Amino acid sequence: MSLVEQIAQADERGLAASGLACLDRCLPLLGGDDELLRPLWARLADGSDWAGDLSRVHETLAPSAPSVPSGSSDDEAARLARRMLESAPAERTADAVRPWADACSVASLRIHRLLDPAADGGPVPDGGPAPADVDAGRAGDTADLPPLVAAELRRQAAVLELLAGHGAHGLRRALEVSVEGRRVLRAVVSRRARSAAEPGA
């Protein structure tokens, strides 16, 4: 089953977990603490409202002065991550979270493509269409995906599979998958920052 099909068939909890996991993995781009989204995961587990916790996350991650040049791949990646957060629905219904989960899936894959050293090309204009390989990967054709993007696609699929197969009991493993991906992205971001700081970079 393709990722697009998985999202189309997921229930409210699976969709919310999918979007939240994408955001969680991209926290290094927003300067967020690794534990910042844990309360939102807890709300998914017990089925309670997450509006208050979401508001606190917004306050904690209030926009600050950009730390990377405007128009750079890193700048575009950070904008995509912030859009994921800003578009998160306070009311967690299937109708509200399905488009958010789908948008988060695309945004996270675009972020990983922007930061993947094996990917070609520069940033896609803000709000522009996703690269063709990202769309193809979501539709099931993973042949030409750069390594970082392919790994992110697998993580997105794993989260949806865990929630579809185990419901609330799959959340713990879904969080573990997300934490693993966040560590990978944090390492990539740190490496790019070190490279940019080197003389002559």
mmCIF file of all heavy atoms in Angstrom, residues 27 41-42 59-60 67 89 92-93 98 100 125 142 144 149 153 187:
data_model
loop_
_atom_site.group_PDB
_atom_site.id
_atom_site.type_symbol
_atom_site.label_atom_id
_atom_site.label_comp_id
_atom_site.label_asym_id
_atom_site.label_seq_id
_atom_site.Cartn_x
_atom_site.Cartn_y
_atom_site.Cartn_z
ATOM 1 N N LEU A 27 11.752 18.804 14.581
ATOM 2 C CA LEU A 27 11.977 19.758 15.665
ATOM 3 C C LEU A 27 13.357 20.411 15.643
ATOM 4 O O LEU A 27 13.487 21.582 16.006
ATOM 5 C CB LEU A 27 11.769 19.073 17.022
ATOM 6 C CG LEU A 27 10.386 19.164 17.652
ATOM 7 C CD1 LEU A 27 10.397 18.468 19.003
ATOM 8 C CD2 LEU A 27 9.937 20.606 17.805
ATOM 9 N N TRP A 41 1.783 13.691 22.413
ATOM 10 C CA TRP A 41 1.739 12.233 22.279
ATOM 11 C C TRP A 41 0.876 11.630 23.393
ATOM 12 O O TRP A 41 0.105 10.682 23.153
ATOM 13 C CB TRP A 41 3.155 11.650 22.338
ATOM 14 C CG TRP A 41 3.965 11.848 21.100
ATOM 15 C CD1 TRP A 41 4.923 12.797 20.881
ATOM 16 C CD2 TRP A 41 3.896 11.082 19.891
ATOM 17 N NE1 TRP A 41 5.458 12.662 19.624
ATOM 18 C CE2 TRP A 41 4.849 11.622 18.995
ATOM 19 C CE3 TRP A 41 3.134 9.990 19.491
ATOM 20 C CZ2 TRP A 41 5.053 11.100 17.716
ATOM 21 C CZ3 TRP A 41 3.330 9.477 18.211
ATOM 22 C CH2 TRP A 41 4.278 10.025 17.343
ATOM 23 N N ALA A 42 0.989 12.176 24.607
ATOM 24 C CA ALA A 42 0.190 11.669 25.726
ATOM 25 C C ALA A 42 -1.301 11.880 25.479
ATOM 26 O O ALA A 42 -2.122 11.020 25.820
ATOM 27 C CB ALA A 42 0.614 12.356 27.025
ATOM 28 N N GLU A 59 3.702 28.795 21.843
ATOM 29 C CA GLU A 59 4.343 29.849 22.631
ATOM 30 C C GLU A 59 5.835 29.579 22.788
ATOM 31 O O GLU A 59 6.656 30.497 22.695
ATOM 32 C CB GLU A 59 3.676 29.945 24.001
ATOM 33 C CG GLU A 59 2.235 30.440 23.954
ATOM 34 C CD GLU A 59 1.538 30.312 25.289
ATOM 35 O OE1 GLU A 59 2.203 29.920 26.280
ATOM 36 O OE2 GLU A 59 0.333 30.599 25.366
ATOM 37 N N THR A 60 6.183 28.321 23.015
ATOM 38 C CA THR A 60 7.589 27.963 23.214
ATOM 39 C C THR A 60 8.395 28.163 21.948
ATOM 40 O O THR A 60 9.558 28.590 21.994
ATOM 41 C CB THR A 60 7.706 26.491 23.670
ATOM 42 O OG1 THR A 60 6.964 26.319 24.881
ATOM 43 C CG2 THR A 60 9.153 26.103 23.909
ATOM 44 N N SER A 67 18.421 32.136 11.606
ATOM 45 C CA SER A 67 19.837 31.912 11.874
ATOM 46 C C SER A 67 20.572 31.469 10.618
ATOM 47 O O SER A 67 21.776 31.242 10.653
ATOM 48 C CB SER A 67 20.004 30.845 12.965
ATOM 49 O OG SER A 67 19.379 29.641 12.577
ATOM 50 N N PRO A 89 -4.189 21.374 13.662
ATOM 51 C CA PRO A 89 -5.546 21.730 14.106
ATOM 52 C C PRO A 89 -5.730 21.550 15.603
ATOM 53 O O PRO A 89 -5.313 20.538 16.171
ATOM 54 C CB PRO A 89 -6.436 20.762 13.323
ATOM 55 C CG PRO A 89 -5.559 19.564 13.082
ATOM 56 C CD PRO A 89 -4.158 20.092 12.929
ATOM 57 N N ARG A 92 -9.104 17.948 17.110
ATOM 58 C CA ARG A 92 -8.514 16.751 16.521
ATOM 59 C C ARG A 92 -9.601 15.806 16.000
ATOM 60 O O ARG A 92 -9.816 14.714 16.535
ATOM 61 C CB ARG A 92 -7.636 16.055 17.570
ATOM 62 C CG ARG A 92 -6.471 15.287 16.981
ATOM 63 C CD ARG A 92 -5.560 14.741 18.058
ATOM 64 N NE ARG A 92 -6.240 13.829 18.950
ATOM 65 C CZ ARG A 92 -6.320 13.985 20.273
ATOM 66 N NH1 ARG A 92 -5.766 15.024 20.846
ATOM 67 N NH2 ARG A 92 -6.947 13.100 21.023
ATOM 68 N N THR A 93 -10.250 16.214 14.913
ATOM 69 C CA THR A 93 -11.225 15.350 14.254
ATOM 70 C C THR A 93 -10.590 14.796 12.979
ATOM 71 O O THR A 93 -9.620 15.366 12.460
ATOM 72 C CB THR A 93 -12.491 16.131 13.885
ATOM 73 O OG1 THR A 93 -12.132 17.159 12.934
ATOM 74 C CG2 THR A 93 -13.104 16.784 15.120
ATOM 75 N N ARG A 98 -6.821 14.975 8.712
ATOM 76 C CA ARG A 98 -6.417 14.285 7.480
ATOM 77 C C ARG A 98 -5.636 15.215 6.534
ATOM 78 O O ARG A 98 -4.542 14.848 6.089
ATOM 79 C CB ARG A 98 -7.622 13.677 6.760
ATOM 80 C CG ARG A 98 -7.204 12.680 5.650
ATOM 81 C CD ARG A 98 -8.408 12.034 4.979
ATOM 82 N NE ARG A 98 -9.312 11.408 5.917
ATOM 83 C CZ ARG A 98 -9.130 10.210 6.469
ATOM 84 N NH1 ARG A 98 -8.061 9.503 6.157
ATOM 85 N NH2 ARG A 98 -10.014 9.713 7.311
ATOM 86 N N TRP A 100 -4.074 17.881 7.321
ATOM 87 C CA TRP A 100 -2.844 18.258 8.027
ATOM 88 C C TRP A 100 -1.815 17.137 7.932
ATOM 89 O O TRP A 100 -0.641 17.399 7.635
ATOM 90 C CB TRP A 100 -3.156 18.577 9.489
ATOM 91 C CG TRP A 100 -1.940 18.930 10.303
ATOM 92 C CD1 TRP A 100 -1.125 20.011 10.108
ATOM 93 C CD2 TRP A 100 -1.410 18.211 11.415
ATOM 94 N NE1 TRP A 100 -0.102 20.003 11.049
ATOM 95 C CE2 TRP A 100 -0.261 18.925 11.861
ATOM 96 C CE3 TRP A 100 -1.798 17.049 12.087
ATOM 97 C CZ2 TRP A 100 0.505 18.492 12.949
ATOM 98 C CZ3 TRP A 100 -1.035 16.625 13.165
ATOM 99 C CH2 TRP A 100 0.098 17.342 13.588
ATOM 100 N N PRO A 125 10.593 26.847 -4.622
ATOM 101 C CA PRO A 125 10.018 28.094 -4.145
ATOM 102 C C PRO A 125 8.952 27.849 -3.081
ATOM 103 O O PRO A 125 8.179 26.896 -3.173
ATOM 104 C CB PRO A 125 9.404 28.713 -5.415
ATOM 105 C CG PRO A 125 10.206 28.127 -6.534
ATOM 106 C CD PRO A 125 10.558 26.736 -6.095
ATOM 107 N N THR A 142 9.667 4.227 -5.170
ATOM 108 C CA THR A 142 10.773 4.700 -4.343
ATOM 109 C C THR A 142 12.129 4.537 -5.018
ATOM 110 O O THR A 142 13.166 4.755 -4.383
ATOM 111 C CB THR A 142 10.783 3.941 -3.003
ATOM 112 O OG1 THR A 142 10.981 2.543 -3.259
ATOM 113 C CG2 THR A 142 9.465 4.122 -2.267
ATOM 114 N N ASP A 144 14.017 6.184 -7.175
ATOM 115 C CA ASP A 144 14.965 7.276 -7.388
ATOM 116 C C ASP A 144 15.077 8.223 -6.194
ATOM 117 O O ASP A 144 15.605 9.331 -6.326
ATOM 118 C CB ASP A 144 14.570 8.081 -8.630
ATOM 119 C CG ASP A 144 14.628 7.235 -9.895
ATOM 120 O OD1 ASP A 144 15.554 6.418 -10.009
ATOM 121 O OD2 ASP A 144 13.738 7.386 -10.754
ATOM 122 N N VAL A 149 15.619 10.857 2.129
ATOM 123 C CA VAL A 149 14.193 10.922 1.800
ATOM 124 C C VAL A 149 13.568 9.527 1.876
ATOM 125 O O VAL A 149 12.462 9.359 2.415
ATOM 126 C CB VAL A 149 13.989 11.525 0.401
ATOM 127 C CG1 VAL A 149 12.498 11.615 0.060
ATOM 128 C CG2 VAL A 149 14.627 12.898 0.306
ATOM 129 N N LEU A 153 10.470 8.351 4.254
ATOM 130 C CA LEU A 153 9.277 7.705 3.715
ATOM 131 C C LEU A 153 8.979 6.413 4.463
ATOM 132 O O LEU A 153 7.822 6.133 4.805
ATOM 133 C CB LEU A 153 9.468 7.430 2.229
ATOM 134 C CG LEU A 153 8.243 6.912 1.474
ATOM 135 C CD1 LEU A 153 7.196 8.003 1.317
ATOM 136 C CD2 LEU A 153 8.646 6.379 0.103
ATOM 137 N N ALA A 187 21.505 15.287 13.469
ATOM 138 C CA ALA A 187 22.893 15.087 13.058
ATOM 139 C C ALA A 187 23.158 15.749 11.716
ATOM 140 O O ALA A 187 24.217 16.365 11.503
ATOM 141 C CB ALA A 187 23.201 13.588 12.990
#
